[in-house]
Amino acid sequence: MAARDNHGTGAPWGGDFEMIGKSHRKVDGLAKATGEAIYADDIVLPGMLHAKTLRSPHAHARIRSIDTSKALALEGVHAVITGESMPTKYGVIPWTPDENALAVDKVRFIGDEVAAVAAIDEDTAEAALRLIEVDYEVLHAYFDPLEALQRDEPPIHETKKNNNVSKRVELEFGDCAAALEASDVVLDNEYSFHGSTHAAIEPHCAVARFAADGLLTLWSSTQITHYVHRALSHVLDVPPQRIRVIQPCLGGAFGGKSDPFSLEFCVAKLAMETGRPVKMLWTREEVFYAHRGRHPMQMRYKTGASKDGRISAVDANILIDGGSYSSFGLVTTYYSGQLLTGPYDFPNYHFDSTRVFTNKPPCGPKRGHGSVQPRFAFETQFDELAVKLNIDPIEIRRRNFQGTDTKTVNGQRVTSNGFMECLDQVEAASTWKDRRAKLPFGQGLGVAGSMYISGTNYPIYPNPMPQAGIQLKVDRSGVVTIFTGGNDIGQGSNSVVAYLVCEELGVELDHVRVVAADTDLCPVDLGAYSSRVTFMVGNATIDACRKLRSQVVEAIAAEWECDPKRVRLVRGVALDLEDPDRFIGMREAFHIAEAKFDTLGSTGSYNTPTLGGDYRGGTIGASPAYSFTAHVVEANVDEETGRITVPKVWCAHDCGRALNPMLVAGQIEGSVYMGIVEALMEDHKVNRFGLHSGPSLLDYRMATTIDTPDIEAYIVESIDPEGPYGAKEAGEGPLHSSIPALGNAIFDAVGVRLRDLPFTPAKVLAGLREKRETEEKLETGMDAAGVGDN
Amino acid sequence: MRSLRLNVNGDTLDTAAPSHWTLLEVLRYKLGLTGSKQGCDKGDCGACTVLVNGKPVLSCLTLAANAEGKDVQTIEGLMPAHRANGGQGADPIQDAFDRCGALQCGFCQPGMMLSARALLTENKAPTKRDIQDALSGNLCRCTGYTQILQAVETALVDEVGGDAPTPCWASCATNLGPAKGKTEPIQGGGV
Ligand code: FES
Ligand code: FES
């Protein structure tokens, strides 16, 4: 069975699903509830050393020399390493390797890693860091992306041809300028999105062991085991068969554990040098500097439309502040334009996105990678258009709906699309028609919509092999063990594969074990990013199950001397559909199958079909399926203080078939929380020296149980033709439109249009003042003209 | 170094640690009780919450020496205590968190569940606002708190009876496809 085969959207045996579509416990829930689950920092190995990192105090400097001799002489210190020991550059995107495990020649942001120490304990390692002498030549540092774009001396990366430009993408579909010219209305505004970070509650941690036989084992809090494996091999110059990477239980990621990180190389190198296991746990402050969070963007959007609100063209110009390294920046730059082309039809579209380096913590992928910012700008402008044309904001969105089974202007194939139902849901649930624009001053409702990918066709490093693989092993005890390279980062992917196996093979959930994210034991999977896991790993799982199932069914049918069509595996038994008295337990069924076919097991895989526009970069943003979301946010704005509160958010998300609606609801709620909170409270910024403004969970300000709005999650199931049983993604899409919906609600509440994030009280007050002044001017103007006396 | 005699989960344990070590460090790195998590090490996140004489305390801000002579309960102690009182399975809080989907990455949850345990032991009729207040020192980055609050309400029902709260996801699915998957309230305990 080929990897690209579809397995159908219905229940595997026809009729109703047994497991799918209902809420079940997670396979690792109780282990997490009882404290039994092992996370990276819970690992303790005999003789283990503790490592610490020396970081740059300068935002941009050349390293003249490093003297580690005093540190090395300190009692209890076992090794000190610097950039010299690992000079090979790497980067998660193979085309842009510009990072070093430890700085070579230069540092590019405050917090850049310079040296690492392994010692008997953290205190000793810390003391040793203070003994390392680094001679820096301080260079001009860039904190403003515009300055970095215009000035080229000194460059942040010497090897770059275009000064400080990290990536530029310009694409045009149709004739945007002509269409804007011909439009009845054109809006032209600037928007800005600030930086925000993932702030997973578990800080990054890695443990390495180097065995006498030359096997290097790394346990790391990573969400992409496979890339860490490749990067370690490349940077340490160790062949991949001598490296094993394991992701233990992971304490949240949201994109923040996608890159290979300095600490992973450092513990590995230190373990190899000392012959002892080495652990490094970053402090919360270090995690803030390691960042890889949401890119700040300055965006100019022009949207043209007809009088009846139909969009004729969208023109976007985006300046992306990348921070100091490339990370996923190439993809971010594409995504900033490529992912805007749904759920609405744009006949003409042009975008020009430029990512520049600055001397700040590097940006990367955060939940809704690269597309949350443009979505904010566009959906805000769309609201402005609705107000200008006096069309209901939900209605204008309906009018521009692109439909199902269609192609976007940039050539992406869209199949299932439940966006209209999402709009219906939030419209009804929020009693929109009765309340929008009718609430008292200071209260408002806002709407926005969005689309997101379910995995990406672009596999980061081009190769013809499957994107996801699964192995199944059947034990004589009746247990089915699933080996998956997929990374469960809390979203529940290990549970999802278990549910699928239960559905397909008729075993009970407690007969399934999941072994995940261990490069020695599991087939390759490309990891937890771009919302790919349910779709891709799910399809691979069904693929593997179908092969195993046909063997079991065939063996039972032979045993019973009946047509295989009569054999069904369900609820822990194999039964004869035509003779209800004939059934055996699955354990026995597996024995019969093993006797007939020898040791039981199977593999399954998934690869994407060939998709994407026929132009350079056309596969970036191409996905086998897209999810759709609509939000209505209710906001209260205090006129006196400018304070914004959000009593309620309604979010409807089209995730295809909800394999476990409880887990889907959890993803929707977590996304809504994250979006609203980053819009209102969070700000990942540095001061004029490049120092983070508040690198702690208190100063960064994240919402508690008290500040989080009431969230109502609605699941819309537009059964996708290619997803596993019709499923799509749920983890990232439901964040996008929460932010513009909030901004639009603020406008409905007080008539102030906020185009710059975060939405702070000061901005509300400034907006109110400006509004008052304009109104006064208008009045005095009218007085002077004698209009008022008429 | 300082020798320490701690009472943890009902056991009296002798150990030694540098005198500046916190209770969290001693629990995790000396006693092997790694269920208590460190999210910040400075009192901001609540992941390290343990119960000291029944009250939630941030173990990252408590010197280990200050915990001597007191009853310390960690997440590892919840199920054994529940069983010692004749209960089955895990503590109702742990079970409800699992059933309600509250355990996403799980990293915040040992602290969260102990804060919830302290609340429900003290207050058998908390309002939603009481629950929110009791958990407001525990940051969760995954869940948006909705399923956590639901889990605490569910645990309360398990302990004192009453009507189970309607799960937020029970009645909200719109299925557009030809083959309709059923959406049902979560099945208790059966899986
Ligand atoms: S680790 Fe104690 S409050 Fe964060
Ligand atoms: S479940 Fe991940 S931080 Fe709460």
mmCIF file with all atom_site columns, all heavy atoms in Angstrom, chain A residues 21 32 39 41-42 198 425 705 715 717, chain B residues 28-29 37 104-105 132 141 174 176 182:
data_model
loop_
_atom_site.group_PDB
_atom_site.id
_atom_site.type_symbol
_atom_site.label_atom_id
_atom_site.label_alt_id
_atom_site.label_comp_id
_atom_site.label_asym_id
_atom_site.label_entity_id
_atom_site.label_seq_id
_atom_site.pdbx_PDB_ins_code
_atom_site.Cartn_x
_atom_site.Cartn_y
_atom_site.Cartn_z
_atom_site.occupancy
_atom_site.B_iso_or_equiv
_atom_site.pdbx_formal_charge
_atom_site.auth_seq_id
_atom_site.auth_comp_id
_atom_site.auth_asym_id
_atom_site.auth_atom_id
_atom_site.pdbx_PDB_model_num
ATOM 1   N N   . GLY A 1 21  ? -14.226 10.118 17.750 1.00 0.00 ? 21  GLY A N   1
ATOM 2   C CA  . GLY A 1 21  ? -15.349 11.035 17.911 1.00 0.00 ? 21  GLY A CA  1
ATOM 3   C C   . GLY A 1 21  ? -15.863 11.090 19.336 1.00 0.00 ? 21  GLY A C   1
ATOM 4   O O   . GLY A 1 21  ? -16.801 11.812 19.631 1.00 0.00 ? 21  GLY A O   1
ATOM 5   N N   . LYS A 1 32  ? 1.112   11.546 34.072 1.00 0.00 ? 32  LYS A N   1
ATOM 6   C CA  . LYS A 1 32  ? 1.357   12.973 34.313 1.00 0.00 ? 32  LYS A CA  1
ATOM 7   C C   . LYS A 1 32  ? 0.672   13.425 35.605 1.00 0.00 ? 32  LYS A C   1
ATOM 8   O O   . LYS A 1 32  ? 1.188   14.281 36.313 1.00 0.00 ? 32  LYS A O   1
ATOM 9   C CB  . LYS A 1 32  ? 0.852   13.800 33.133 1.00 0.00 ? 32  LYS A CB  1
ATOM 10  C CG  . LYS A 1 32  ? 1.741   13.685 31.903 1.00 0.00 ? 32  LYS A CG  1
ATOM 11  C CD  . LYS A 1 32  ? 1.139   14.400 30.701 1.00 0.00 ? 32  LYS A CD  1
ATOM 12  C CE  . LYS A 1 32  ? 2.129   14.397 29.538 1.00 0.00 ? 32  LYS A CE  1
ATOM 13  N NZ  . LYS A 1 32  ? 1.513   14.914 28.301 1.00 0.00 ? 32  LYS A NZ  1
ATOM 14  N N   . TYR A 1 39  ? 10.318  13.894 32.700 1.00 0.00 ? 39  TYR A N   1
ATOM 15  C CA  . TYR A 1 39  ? 10.710  14.993 31.810 1.00 0.00 ? 39  TYR A CA  1
ATOM 16  C C   . TYR A 1 39  ? 12.241  15.075 31.831 1.00 0.00 ? 39  TYR A C   1
ATOM 17  O O   . TYR A 1 39  ? 12.885  14.448 32.682 1.00 0.00 ? 39  TYR A O   1
ATOM 18  C CB  . TYR A 1 39  ? 10.094  16.312 32.296 1.00 0.00 ? 39  TYR A CB  1
ATOM 19  C CG  . TYR A 1 39  ? 8.581   16.320 32.290 1.00 0.00 ? 39  TYR A CG  1
ATOM 20  C CD1 . TYR A 1 39  ? 7.852   15.605 33.241 1.00 0.00 ? 39  TYR A CD1 1
ATOM 21  C CD2 . TYR A 1 39  ? 7.861   17.021 31.330 1.00 0.00 ? 39  TYR A CD2 1
ATOM 22  C CE1 . TYR A 1 39  ? 6.463   15.605 33.229 1.00 0.00 ? 39  TYR A CE1 1
ATOM 23  C CE2 . TYR A 1 39  ? 6.470   17.025 31.316 1.00 0.00 ? 39  TYR A CE2 1
ATOM 24  C CZ  . TYR A 1 39  ? 5.781   16.306 32.269 1.00 0.00 ? 39  TYR A CZ  1
ATOM 25  O OH  . TYR A 1 39  ? 4.406   16.300 32.264 1.00 0.00 ? 39  TYR A OH  1
ATOM 26  N N   . ASP A 1 41  ? 14.566  17.102 32.832 1.00 0.00 ? 41  ASP A N   1
ATOM 27  C CA  . ASP A 1 41  ? 15.317  17.421 34.056 1.00 0.00 ? 41  ASP A CA  1
ATOM 28  C C   . ASP A 1 41  ? 15.096  16.390 35.159 1.00 0.00 ? 41  ASP A C   1
ATOM 29  O O   . ASP A 1 41  ? 15.742  16.439 36.201 1.00 0.00 ? 41  ASP A O   1
ATOM 30  C CB  . ASP A 1 41  ? 14.945  18.833 34.553 1.00 0.00 ? 41  ASP A CB  1
ATOM 31  C CG  . ASP A 1 41  ? 15.799  19.247 35.740 1.00 0.00 ? 41  ASP A CG  1
ATOM 32  O OD1 . ASP A 1 41  ? 17.026  19.002 35.693 1.00 0.00 ? 41  ASP A OD1 1
ATOM 33  O OD2 . ASP A 1 41  ? 15.252  19.782 36.724 1.00 0.00 ? 41  ASP A OD2 1
ATOM 34  N N   . ASP A 1 42  ? 14.184  15.454 34.959 1.00 0.00 ? 42  ASP A N   1
ATOM 35  C CA  . ASP A 1 42  ? 13.981  14.410 35.970 1.00 0.00 ? 42  ASP A CA  1
ATOM 36  C C   . ASP A 1 42  ? 14.997  13.283 35.817 1.00 0.00 ? 42  ASP A C   1
ATOM 37  O O   . ASP A 1 42  ? 15.068  12.384 36.648 1.00 0.00 ? 42  ASP A O   1
ATOM 38  C CB  . ASP A 1 42  ? 12.563  13.824 35.854 1.00 0.00 ? 42  ASP A CB  1
ATOM 39  C CG  . ASP A 1 42  ? 11.491  14.890 36.036 1.00 0.00 ? 42  ASP A CG  1
ATOM 40  O OD1 . ASP A 1 42  ? 11.801  15.937 36.625 1.00 0.00 ? 42  ASP A OD1 1
ATOM 41  O OD2 . ASP A 1 42  ? 10.356  14.676 35.570 1.00 0.00 ? 42  ASP A OD2 1
ATOM 42  N N   . HIS A 1 198 ? 7.094   31.857 23.555 1.00 0.00 ? 198 HIS A N   1
ATOM 43  C CA  . HIS A 1 198 ? 6.280   30.679 23.854 1.00 0.00 ? 198 HIS A CA  1
ATOM 44  C C   . HIS A 1 198 ? 6.035   30.509 25.343 1.00 0.00 ? 198 HIS A C   1
ATOM 45  O O   . HIS A 1 198 ? 4.947   30.193 25.759 1.00 0.00 ? 198 HIS A O   1
ATOM 46  C CB  . HIS A 1 198 ? 6.969   29.421 23.338 1.00 0.00 ? 198 HIS A CB  1
ATOM 47  C CG  . HIS A 1 198 ? 7.644   29.614 22.022 1.00 0.00 ? 198 HIS A CG  1
ATOM 48  N ND1 . HIS A 1 198 ? 8.902   30.159 21.909 1.00 0.00 ? 198 HIS A ND1 1
ATOM 49  C CD2 . HIS A 1 198 ? 7.232   29.363 20.765 1.00 0.00 ? 198 HIS A CD2 1
ATOM 50  C CE1 . HIS A 1 198 ? 9.236   30.237 20.631 1.00 0.00 ? 198 HIS A CE1 1
ATOM 51  N NE2 . HIS A 1 198 ? 8.252   29.767 19.912 1.00 0.00 ? 198 HIS A NE2 1
ATOM 52  N N   . GLN A 1 425 ? -21.752 29.454 13.577 1.00 0.00 ? 425 GLN A N   1
ATOM 53  C CA  . GLN A 1 425 ? -21.674 29.072 14.991 1.00 0.00 ? 425 GLN A CA  1
ATOM 54  C C   . GLN A 1 425 ? -21.407 30.259 15.897 1.00 0.00 ? 425 GLN A C   1
ATOM 55  O O   . GLN A 1 425 ? -22.103 30.472 16.879 1.00 0.00 ? 425 GLN A O   1
ATOM 56  C CB  . GLN A 1 425 ? -20.536 28.062 15.198 1.00 0.00 ? 425 GLN A CB  1
ATOM 57  C CG  . GLN A 1 425 ? -20.893 26.620 14.973 1.00 0.00 ? 425 GLN A CG  1
ATOM 58  C CD  . GLN A 1 425 ? -21.768 26.060 16.077 1.00 0.00 ? 425 GLN A CD  1
ATOM 59  O OE1 . GLN A 1 425 ? -22.159 26.759 16.998 1.00 0.00 ? 425 GLN A OE1 1
ATOM 60  N NE2 . GLN A 1 425 ? -22.102 24.792 15.971 1.00 0.00 ? 425 GLN A NE2 1
ATOM 61  N N   . THR A 1 705 ? -5.651  32.033 35.948 1.00 0.00 ? 705 THR A N   1
ATOM 62  C CA  . THR A 1 705 ? -7.064  31.611 35.883 1.00 0.00 ? 705 THR A CA  1
ATOM 63  C C   . THR A 1 705 ? -8.000  32.811 35.934 1.00 0.00 ? 705 THR A C   1
ATOM 64  O O   . THR A 1 705 ? -9.096  32.761 35.382 1.00 0.00 ? 705 THR A O   1
ATOM 65  C CB  . THR A 1 705 ? -7.419  30.740 37.111 1.00 0.00 ? 705 THR A CB  1
ATOM 66  O OG1 . THR A 1 705 ? -6.838  31.338 38.266 1.00 0.00 ? 705 THR A OG1 1
ATOM 67  C CG2 . THR A 1 705 ? -6.920  29.337 36.956 1.00 0.00 ? 705 THR A CG2 1
ATOM 68  N N   . ILE A 1 715 ? -16.716 22.948 17.761 1.00 0.00 ? 715 ILE A N   1
ATOM 69  C CA  . ILE A 1 715 ? -15.998 22.131 16.794 1.00 0.00 ? 715 ILE A CA  1
ATOM 70  C C   . ILE A 1 715 ? -16.860 21.982 15.549 1.00 0.00 ? 715 ILE A C   1
ATOM 71  O O   . ILE A 1 715 ? -18.022 21.588 15.637 1.00 0.00 ? 715 ILE A O   1
ATOM 72  C CB  . ILE A 1 715 ? -15.687 20.742 17.384 1.00 0.00 ? 715 ILE A CB  1
ATOM 73  C CG1 . ILE A 1 715 ? -14.785 20.880 18.607 1.00 0.00 ? 715 ILE A CG1 1
ATOM 74  C CG2 . ILE A 1 715 ? -15.044 19.851 16.332 1.00 0.00 ? 715 ILE A CG2 1
ATOM 75  C CD1 . ILE A 1 715 ? -14.633 19.598 19.405 1.00 0.00 ? 715 ILE A CD1 1
ATOM 76  N N   . GLU A 1 717 ? -16.948 20.062 11.944 1.00 0.00 ? 717 GLU A N   1
ATOM 77  C CA  . GLU A 1 717 ? -16.295 18.927 11.299 1.00 0.00 ? 717 GLU A CA  1
ATOM 78  C C   . GLU A 1 717 ? -16.618 18.872 9.806  1.00 0.00 ? 717 GLU A C   1
ATOM 79  O O   . GLU A 1 717 ? -17.600 18.290 9.397  1.00 0.00 ? 717 GLU A O   1
ATOM 80  C CB  . GLU A 1 717 ? -16.747 17.617 11.964 1.00 0.00 ? 717 GLU A CB  1
ATOM 81  C CG  . GLU A 1 717 ? -16.397 17.510 13.433 1.00 0.00 ? 717 GLU A CG  1
ATOM 82  C CD  . GLU A 1 717 ? -16.797 16.168 14.032 1.00 0.00 ? 717 GLU A CD  1
ATOM 83  O OE1 . GLU A 1 717 ? -17.997 15.997 14.310 1.00 0.00 ? 717 GLU A OE1 1
ATOM 84  O OE2 . GLU A 1 717 ? -15.921 15.307 14.194 1.00 0.00 ? 717 GLU A OE2 1
ATOM 85  N N   . ARG B 2 28  ? 13.670  17.067 44.597 1.00 0.00 ? 28  ARG B N   1
ATOM 86  C CA  . ARG B 2 28  ? 13.953  16.557 43.254 1.00 0.00 ? 28  ARG B CA  1
ATOM 87  C C   . ARG B 2 28  ? 15.302  15.846 43.170 1.00 0.00 ? 28  ARG B C   1
ATOM 88  O O   . ARG B 2 28  ? 15.408  14.767 42.598 1.00 0.00 ? 28  ARG B O   1
ATOM 89  C CB  . ARG B 2 28  ? 13.941  17.710 42.236 1.00 0.00 ? 28  ARG B CB  1
ATOM 90  C CG  . ARG B 2 28  ? 12.545  18.242 41.910 1.00 0.00 ? 28  ARG B CG  1
ATOM 91  C CD  . ARG B 2 28  ? 12.603  19.362 40.861 1.00 0.00 ? 28  ARG B CD  1
ATOM 92  N NE  . ARG B 2 28  ? 13.309  18.953 39.659 1.00 0.00 ? 28  ARG B NE  1
ATOM 93  C CZ  . ARG B 2 28  ? 12.790  18.197 38.718 1.00 0.00 ? 28  ARG B CZ  1
ATOM 94  N NH1 . ARG B 2 28  ? 11.547  17.777 38.812 1.00 0.00 ? 28  ARG B NH1 1
ATOM 95  N NH2 . ARG B 2 28  ? 13.516  17.843 37.671 1.00 0.00 ? 28  ARG B NH2 1
ATOM 96  N N   . TYR B 2 29  ? 16.313  16.489 43.706 1.00 0.00 ? 29  TYR B N   1
ATOM 97  C CA  . TYR B 2 29  ? 17.661  15.999 43.419 1.00 0.00 ? 29  TYR B CA  1
ATOM 98  C C   . TYR B 2 29  ? 18.274  15.174 44.546 1.00 0.00 ? 29  TYR B C   1
ATOM 99  O O   . TYR B 2 29  ? 19.290  14.522 44.340 1.00 0.00 ? 29  TYR B O   1
ATOM 100 C CB  . TYR B 2 29  ? 18.573  17.176 43.024 1.00 0.00 ? 29  TYR B CB  1
ATOM 101 C CG  . TYR B 2 29  ? 17.994  18.019 41.909 1.00 0.00 ? 29  TYR B CG  1
ATOM 102 C CD1 . TYR B 2 29  ? 17.845  19.390 42.039 1.00 0.00 ? 29  TYR B CD1 1
ATOM 103 C CD2 . TYR B 2 29  ? 17.576  17.431 40.701 1.00 0.00 ? 29  TYR B CD2 1
ATOM 104 C CE1 . TYR B 2 29  ? 17.299  20.157 41.013 1.00 0.00 ? 29  TYR B CE1 1
ATOM 105 C CE2 . TYR B 2 29  ? 17.027  18.182 39.676 1.00 0.00 ? 29  TYR B CE2 1
ATOM 106 C CZ  . TYR B 2 29  ? 16.891  19.546 39.842 1.00 0.00 ? 29  TYR B CZ  1
ATOM 107 O OH  . TYR B 2 29  ? 16.351  20.293 38.824 1.00 0.00 ? 29  TYR B OH  1
ATOM 108 N N   . LYS B 2 37  ? 7.742   20.191 39.925 1.00 0.00 ? 37  LYS B N   1
ATOM 109 C CA  . LYS B 2 37  ? 8.473   20.720 38.774 1.00 0.00 ? 37  LYS B CA  1
ATOM 110 C C   . LYS B 2 37  ? 9.024   22.107 39.039 1.00 0.00 ? 37  LYS B C   1
ATOM 111 O O   . LYS B 2 37  ? 8.480   22.868 39.844 1.00 0.00 ? 37  LYS B O   1
ATOM 112 C CB  . LYS B 2 37  ? 7.544   20.777 37.554 1.00 0.00 ? 37  LYS B CB  1
ATOM 113 C CG  . LYS B 2 37  ? 6.981   19.419 37.140 1.00 0.00 ? 37  LYS B CG  1
ATOM 114 C CD  . LYS B 2 37  ? 8.081   18.418 36.830 1.00 0.00 ? 37  LYS B CD  1
ATOM 115 C CE  . LYS B 2 37  ? 7.540   17.080 36.392 1.00 0.00 ? 37  LYS B CE  1
ATOM 116 N NZ  . LYS B 2 37  ? 8.513   15.998 36.579 1.00 0.00 ? 37  LYS B NZ  1
ATOM 117 N N   . GLN B 2 104 ? -2.445  18.550 29.554 1.00 0.00 ? 104 GLN B N   1
ATOM 118 C CA  . GLN B 2 104 ? -1.838  18.594 28.223 1.00 0.00 ? 104 GLN B CA  1
ATOM 119 C C   . GLN B 2 104 ? -0.366  18.221 28.364 1.00 0.00 ? 104 GLN B C   1
ATOM 120 O O   . GLN B 2 104 ? -0.053  17.045 28.405 1.00 0.00 ? 104 GLN B O   1
ATOM 121 C CB  . GLN B 2 104 ? -2.085  19.947 27.568 1.00 0.00 ? 104 GLN B CB  1
ATOM 122 C CG  . GLN B 2 104 ? -3.545  20.082 27.096 1.00 0.00 ? 104 GLN B CG  1
ATOM 123 C CD  . GLN B 2 104 ? -3.765  21.211 26.105 1.00 0.00 ? 104 GLN B CD  1
ATOM 124 O OE1 . GLN B 2 104 ? -2.866  21.637 25.403 1.00 0.00 ? 104 GLN B OE1 1
ATOM 125 N NE2 . GLN B 2 104 ? -4.991  21.706 26.030 1.00 0.00 ? 104 GLN B NE2 1
ATOM 126 N N   . CYS B 2 105 ? 0.537   19.188 28.466 1.00 0.00 ? 105 CYS B N   1
ATOM 127 C CA  . CYS B 2 105 ? 1.931   18.767 28.666 1.00 0.00 ? 105 CYS B CA  1
ATOM 128 C C   . CYS B 2 105 ? 2.121   18.241 30.081 1.00 0.00 ? 105 CYS B C   1
ATOM 129 O O   . CYS B 2 105 ? 3.034   17.485 30.353 1.00 0.00 ? 105 CYS B O   1
ATOM 130 C CB  . CYS B 2 105 ? 2.891   19.908 28.363 1.00 0.00 ? 105 CYS B CB  1
ATOM 131 S SG  . CYS B 2 105 ? 3.088   21.095 29.696 1.00 0.00 ? 105 CYS B SG  1
ATOM 132 N N   . GLN B 2 132 ? -11.006 29.618 40.881 1.00 0.00 ? 132 GLN B N   1
ATOM 133 C CA  . GLN B 2 132 ? -10.069 30.457 40.119 1.00 0.00 ? 132 GLN B CA  1
ATOM 134 C C   . GLN B 2 132 ? -9.048  31.103 41.050 1.00 0.00 ? 132 GLN B C   1
ATOM 135 O O   . GLN B 2 132 ? -7.853  31.123 40.744 1.00 0.00 ? 132 GLN B O   1
ATOM 136 C CB  . GLN B 2 132 ? -10.832 31.548 39.361 1.00 0.00 ? 132 GLN B CB  1
ATOM 137 C CG  . GLN B 2 132 ? -11.579 31.009 38.151 1.00 0.00 ? 132 GLN B CG  1
ATOM 138 C CD  . GLN B 2 132 ? -12.457 32.074 37.505 1.00 0.00 ? 132 GLN B CD  1
ATOM 139 O OE1 . GLN B 2 132 ? -13.215 32.755 38.188 1.00 0.00 ? 132 GLN B OE1 1
ATOM 140 N NE2 . GLN B 2 132 ? -12.350 32.215 36.199 1.00 0.00 ? 132 GLN B NE2 1
ATOM 141 N N   . ARG B 2 141 ? 0.366   27.068 30.539 1.00 0.00 ? 141 ARG B N   1
ATOM 142 C CA  . ARG B 2 141 ? 0.533   27.684 29.230 1.00 0.00 ? 141 ARG B CA  1
ATOM 143 C C   . ARG B 2 141 ? -0.225  26.910 28.153 1.00 0.00 ? 141 ARG B C   1
ATOM 144 O O   . ARG B 2 141 ? -0.324  27.368 27.034 1.00 0.00 ? 141 ARG B O   1
ATOM 145 C CB  . ARG B 2 141 ? 2.029   27.722 28.906 1.00 0.00 ? 141 ARG B CB  1
ATOM 146 C CG  . ARG B 2 141 ? 2.433   28.636 27.772 1.00 0.00 ? 141 ARG B CG  1
ATOM 147 C CD  . ARG B 2 141 ? 2.080   30.081 27.998 1.00 0.00 ? 141 ARG B CD  1
ATOM 148 N NE  . ARG B 2 141 ? 2.761   30.958 27.055 1.00 0.00 ? 141 ARG B NE  1
ATOM 149 C CZ  . ARG B 2 141 ? 2.394   32.209 26.812 1.00 0.00 ? 141 ARG B CZ  1
ATOM 150 N NH1 . ARG B 2 141 ? 1.352   32.738 27.450 1.00 0.00 ? 141 ARG B NH1 1
ATOM 151 N NH2 . ARG B 2 141 ? 3.067   32.948 25.962 1.00 0.00 ? 141 ARG B NH2 1
ATOM 152 N N   . THR B 2 174 ? -20.489 20.487 15.162 1.00 0.00 ? 174 THR B N   1
ATOM 153 C CA  . THR B 2 174 ? -21.318 20.550 13.962 1.00 0.00 ? 174 THR B CA  1
ATOM 154 C C   . THR B 2 174 ? -20.642 19.664 12.942 1.00 0.00 ? 174 THR B C   1
ATOM 155 O O   . THR B 2 174 ? -19.552 19.958 12.501 1.00 0.00 ? 174 THR B O   1
ATOM 156 C CB  . THR B 2 174 ? -21.322 21.975 13.384 1.00 0.00 ? 174 THR B CB  1
ATOM 157 O OG1 . THR B 2 174 ? -21.483 22.867 14.454 1.00 0.00 ? 174 THR B OG1 1
ATOM 158 C CG2 . THR B 2 174 ? -22.426 22.148 12.385 1.00 0.00 ? 174 THR B CG2 1
ATOM 159 N N   . LEU B 2 176 ? -20.317 18.171 9.368  1.00 0.00 ? 176 LEU B N   1
ATOM 160 C CA  . LEU B 2 176 ? -20.795 18.494 8.021  1.00 0.00 ? 176 LEU B CA  1
ATOM 161 C C   . LEU B 2 176 ? -20.699 17.317 7.079  1.00 0.00 ? 176 LEU B C   1
ATOM 162 O O   . LEU B 2 176 ? -21.194 17.353 5.979  1.00 0.00 ? 176 LEU B O   1
ATOM 163 C CB  . LEU B 2 176 ? -19.948 19.619 7.440  1.00 0.00 ? 176 LEU B CB  1
ATOM 164 C CG  . LEU B 2 176 ? -19.816 20.847 8.326  1.00 0.00 ? 176 LEU B CG  1
ATOM 165 C CD1 . LEU B 2 176 ? -18.809 21.785 7.730  1.00 0.00 ? 176 LEU B CD1 1
ATOM 166 C CD2 . LEU B 2 176 ? -21.163 21.524 8.447  1.00 0.00 ? 176 LEU B CD2 1
ATOM 167 N N   . LYS B 2 182 ? -20.042 10.476 16.386 1.00 0.00 ? 182 LYS B N   1
ATOM 168 C CA  . LYS B 2 182 ? -20.852 10.915 17.519 1.00 0.00 ? 182 LYS B CA  1
ATOM 169 C C   . LYS B 2 182 ? -20.009 11.725 18.478 1.00 0.00 ? 182 LYS B C   1
ATOM 170 O O   . LYS B 2 182 ? -18.837 11.467 18.663 1.00 0.00 ? 182 LYS B O   1
ATOM 171 C CB  . LYS B 2 182 ? -21.429 9.703  18.257 1.00 0.00 ? 182 LYS B CB  1
ATOM 172 C CG  . LYS B 2 182 ? -22.820 9.359  17.768 1.00 0.00 ? 182 LYS B CG  1
ATOM 173 C CD  . LYS B 2 182 ? -23.379 8.214  18.575 1.00 0.00 ? 182 LYS B CD  1
ATOM 174 C CE  . LYS B 2 182 ? -22.812 6.907  18.084 1.00 0.00 ? 182 LYS B CE  1
ATOM 175 N NZ  . LYS B 2 182 ? -22.913 5.771  18.901 1.00 0.00 ? 182 LYS B NZ  1
#
